[in-house]
């Protein structure tokens, strides 16, 4: 059962998983409401959700056309569902309440485009929408979904799935710890137990953490800014925190954290124009772009790419891909492997022509070279997972910086080997030793090793493996298998680094 859940999480994009999470919470509430198990009316909830989704979808389309940017339908629906889950559901004849739902939806989507710097929105859309509705229309959110103990198990289970997908357990843990500490510091000792129960069962704590705090576009991606962001929001979201007579609300606390995140993170989105497409290997291509301004990144980091997909499928129009080029190159490379029955995103990518554009943002990733050049390294790549290593090796070749590196590169067939030119140059200029591991085909060619990368092969080709730091990049199954093999060989977990993309399925 656990394996099936893990497989589902791995196959689903982050945005689609969040959408499923919120939709399940809404559906559960609709089913349970007639039995009096949740504090809302089912008909009103459905009506409010439909209004919010219709408004968010429509306004998102309008603003996307005006600003000439891809319309991300998933993002708009996620915002709508959050609004429906935290604003009090209303009846069709409740003009004031209906106005609150409509305005929260309109203002949330508008803020994505208007309150943006270099095409990147600063504040969580749902949070800014409900804050404005509360201040201007006296229709604040009630956070009804977060305060209901019947829905709490679903909030927790779905939230853990989202957090696992994002690999942001440190963010959520810091937020919860900071919030509980703030509650403890502002509560009389006699009331502390009751305050903790209220916080853990009847407060927005978990829904805010899982559904809104983790939103990648408004949260820092680097570790220490991310933890500081979580601590700031956690403390300010505690009910006892106030400035004079002004008490902060969870949504206001999140906006303050968003402002900090914007200050602490790379600013804005990049507009990249396609220059050419190069064949990298069997079914793999490099899309070479010219950015509208220089991108300061470290070799091995990734960007989130957003493409205008006319008819998107259930995987959406965003992907996280490693930057295959090096910081020393003028152009930005995106290395992609195409498979049969490709997603709508990849089909649209394949149809791009020179002069077409794509948006990129959320520069992040800790899969980078160690700062100490004396650290002995072992790169293990599978298929197109070689892209971060291409970036690193090209950077080292261009700068003349030598490091002790052994590479094991696994592919299904000989024709799947990508970036031969960069590997050959690294062998000449850096002394890189590359071991090509191929599953099938003509295996009589000297230098090829048949089979798969496993513990036996690693021990044979990298006899000093206990002295090296291992970098693993490739398909999820391959990375998991090799990581397990290394751990069985006694390699400490701290010496195994794996590539990670938060939105990738």
């Amino acid at each position: 059962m656990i394996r099936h859940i893990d497989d589902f999480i791995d196959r689903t994009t982050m945005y689609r998983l969040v959408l499923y999470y919120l939709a399940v919470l809404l559906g559960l509430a609709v089913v349970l409401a007639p039995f009096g198990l949740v504090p809302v009316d089912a008909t009103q909830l459905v009506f409010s959700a439909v209004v919010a989704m219709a408004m968010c979808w429509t306004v998102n389309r309008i603003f996307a056309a005006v600003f000439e940017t891809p319309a991300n339908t998933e993002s708009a629906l996620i915002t709508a569902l959050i609004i429906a889950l935290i604003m009090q559901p209303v009846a069709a004849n409740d003009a004031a309440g209906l106005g609150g739902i409509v305005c929260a939806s309109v203002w949330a989507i508008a803020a994505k485009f208007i309150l943006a710097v270099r095409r990147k929105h600063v504040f969580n859309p749902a949070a800014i929408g409900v804050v404005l509705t509360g201040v201007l229309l006296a229709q604040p959110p009630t956070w009804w979904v977060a305060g209901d103990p019947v829905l709490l198990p679903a909030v927790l289970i779905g939230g853990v799935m989202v957090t696992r997908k994002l690999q942001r357990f440190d963010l959520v843990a810091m937020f919860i710890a900071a919030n509980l500490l703030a509650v403890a510091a502002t509560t009389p000792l006699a009331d502390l137990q009751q305050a903790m129960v209220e916080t853990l069962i009847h407060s927005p704590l978990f829904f805010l953490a899982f559904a809104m705090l983790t939103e990648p576009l408004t949260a820092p991606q680097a570790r220490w800014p991310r933890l500081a962001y979580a601590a700031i929001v956690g403390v300010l979201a505690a009910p006892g925190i106030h400035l004079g007579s002004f008490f902060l609300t969870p949504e206001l606390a999140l906006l303050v954290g968003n402002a900090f995140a914007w200050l602490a993170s790379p600013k804005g989105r990049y507009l990249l124009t396609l220059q050419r497409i190069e064949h990298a290997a069997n079914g793999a291509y490099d899309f070479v772009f010219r950015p509208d301004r220089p991108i300061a990144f470290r070799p091995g980091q990734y960007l989130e790419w957003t493409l205008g997909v006319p008819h998107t499928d259930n995987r959406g129009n965003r992907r996280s891909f490693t930057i295959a080029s090096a910081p020393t190159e003028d152009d930005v490379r995106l290395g992609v492997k195409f498979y049969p029955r490709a997603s709508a995103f990849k089909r649209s990518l394949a149809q791009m022509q020179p002069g077409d554009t794509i948006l990129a943002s959320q520069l992040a990733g800790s899969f980078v070279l160690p700062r100490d050049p004396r650290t002995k390294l072992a790169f293990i790549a599978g298929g197109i997972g070689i892209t971060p290593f291409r970036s690193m090796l090209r950077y080292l070749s261009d700068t003349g910086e030598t490091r002790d590196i052994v590479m094991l590169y696994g592919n299904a067939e000989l024709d799947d080997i990508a970036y031969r030119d960069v590997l050959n140059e690294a062998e000449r200029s850096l002394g890189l030793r590359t071991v090509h591991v191929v599953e099938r085909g003509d295996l009589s060619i000297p230098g090829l090793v048949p089979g798969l990368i496993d513990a036996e092969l690693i021990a044979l080709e990298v006899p000093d493996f206990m002295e090296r730091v291992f970098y693993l990049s490739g398909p999820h199954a391959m990375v998991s298998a090799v990581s397990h093999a290394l751990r069985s060989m006694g390699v400490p977990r701290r010496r195994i680094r794996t590539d990670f993309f938060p939105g990738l399925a």
Side-chain angles (χ1 to χ4, degrees):
M1 179 65 178
I2 297 298
R3 180 187 296 179
H4 291 318
I5 293 175
D6 286 344
D7 289 344
F8 169 74
I9 294 173
D10 292 333
R11 290 196 309 269
T12 309
T13 63
M14 186 277 296
Y15 296 102
R16 183 51 56 97
L17 184 60
V18 173
L19 188 62
Y20 291 158
Y21 171 45
L22 299 173
V24 167
L25 289 177
L26 184 74
L28 281 175
V30 171
V31 171
L32 297 174
F35 300 98
L37 297 177
V38 294
V40 293
D41 178 88
T43 303
Q44 293 179 2
L45 178 56
V46 171
F47 174 72
S48 299
V50 170
V51 170
M53 287 190 287
M55 294 305 303
C56 286
W57 184 89
T58 302
V59 175
N60 187 63
R61 288 283 173 176
I62 292 172
F63 272 94
V66 171
F67 283 81
E68 297 181 340
T69 187
N72 194 299
T73 302
E74 282 185 341
S75 177
L77 293 179
I78 287 170
T79 298
L81 288 175
I82 292 175
I83 290 172
L85 290 167
I86 66 176
M87 294 287 288
Q88 190 63 31
V90 300
N93 59 358
D94 180 358
L98 180 58
I101 297 289
V102 170
C103 289
S105 302
V106 172
W107 289 335
I109 300 301
K112 291 174 57 177
F113 297 89
I114 297 174
L115 299 180
V117 179
R118 290 182 173 176
R119 306 184 189 92
K120 178 183 177 182
H121 58 269
V122 178
F123 299 109
N124 181 280
I128 193 70
V130 298
V131 163
L132 291 175
T133 304
V135 172
L136 301 178
L137 301 180
Q139 294 283 335
T142 61
W143 293 89
W144 64 266
V145 69
D148 190 272
V150 175
L151 292 176
L152 183 59
V155 171
L156 293 174
I157 294 171
V160 169
M161 292 172 67
V162 170
T163 307
R164 179 201 177 282
K165 180 68 177 181
L166 284 167
Q167 295 292 293
R168 289 294 180 260
F169 286 104
D170 58 346
L171 172 72
V172 172
M174 175 62 77
F175 166 76
I176 293 173
N179 188 265
L180 294 177
L181 287 173
V183 169
T186 56
T187 303
L189 186 59
D191 301 326
L192 184 56
Q193 182 177 354
Q194 181 62 30
M196 288 296 176
V197 171
E198 289 292 325
T199 301
L200 292 171
I201 298 179
H202 299 288
S203 82
L205 178 69
F206 293 112
F207 184 81
L208 178 64
F210 294 132
M212 300 176 74
L213 184 79
T214 56
E215 207 284 317
L217 291 178
T218 53
Q221 300 302 305
R223 178 174 173 79
W224 293 113
R226 182 169 71 240
L227 295 179
Y229 161 73
I232 290 170
V233 181
V235 169
L236 296 181
I241 301 298
H242 60 92
L243 302 174
S245 60
F246 179 74
F247 284 79
L248 275 78
T249 60
E251 60 271 18
L252 275 173
L254 183 58
L255 295 185
V256 173
N258 292 158
F260 166 80
W262 182 82
L263 293 172
S265 302
K267 307 299 186 295
R269 285 183 171 187
Y270 302 94
L271 181 68
L272 299 104
T273 303
L274 181 64
Q275 302 297 300
R276 62 189 182 276
I277 301 174
E278 298 179 359
H279 183 256
N282 181 32
Y285 296 86
D286 263 14
F287 292 76
V288 184
F289 296 94
R290 179 62 54 88
D292 59 347
R293 64 185 191 280
I295 303 177
F297 67 97
R298 295 177 65 185
Q301 290 191 302
Y302 63 84
L303 285 165
E304 181 182 80
W305 306 75
T306 302
L307 182 62
V309 180
H311 303 288
T312 185
D313 56 17
N314 62 2
R315 296 183 62 187
N317 68 338
R318 296 179 184 177
R319 291 289 187 282
S320 293
F321 290 113
T322 296
I323 305 172
S325 51
T328 48
E329 297 178 276
D330 294 330
D331 294 327
V332 175
R333 287 176 177 265
L334 171 61
V336 180
K337 176 78 170 182
F338 291 89
Y339 299 94
R341 297 193 299 273
S343 66
F345 181 96
K346 285 192 174 181
R347 291 198 301 270
S348 295
L349 188 66
Q351 294 170 4
M352 290 188 72
Q353 300 294 323
D356 291 344
T357 59
I358 190 171
L359 290 174
S361 63
Q362 293 302 97
L363 174 67
S366 57
F367 194 78
V368 296
L369 291 167
R371 295 192 181 277
D372 186 354
R374 296 171 298 179
T375 303
K376 299 175 70 174
L377 306 174
F379 292 168
I380 299 183
I384 199 61
I386 196 174
T387 50
F389 301 131
R390 186 223 181 260
S391 178
M392 295 177 188
L393 294 174
R394 178 61 190 266
Y395 172 78
L396 294 174
S397 295
D398 289 345
T399 59
E401 180 182 328
T402 58
R403 300 199 181 214
D404 187 341
I405 304 173
V406 176
M407 169 174 279
L408 305 183
Y409 184 18
N411 284 284
E413 299 177 352
L414 186 64
D415 289 342
D416 293 333
I417 298 174
Y419 306 128
R420 295 171 186 262
D421 57 336
V422 175
L423 294 175
N424 292 336
E425 175 58 31
E427 290 177 6
R428 289 192 298 268
S429 61
L430 304 175
L432 172 74
R433 184 169 70 88
T434 302
V435 179
H436 289 288
V437 185
V438 180
E439 291 184 57
R440 56 183 180 269
D442 183 2
L443 303 180
S444 63
I445 300 175
L448 291 184
V449 176
L452 300 172
I453 300 174
D454 55 16
E456 182 179 356
L457 179 64
I458 294 171
L460 177 65
E461 298 293 347
V462 192
D464 58 348
F465 61 87
M466 290 299 294
E467 302 174 14
R468 295 184 181 268
V469 174
F470 283 82
Y471 283 66
L472 315 181
S473 178
H476 176 74
M478 170 262 181
V479 170
S480 296
V482 174
S483 180
H484 179 74
L486 290 171
R487 297 284 290 123
S488 70
M489 296 167 65
V491 179
R493 190 181 303 274
R494 68 178 183 278
R495 300 182 73 86
I496 303 173
R497 301 182 183 177
T498 58
D499 207 1
F500 165 69
F501 309 122
L504 186 62

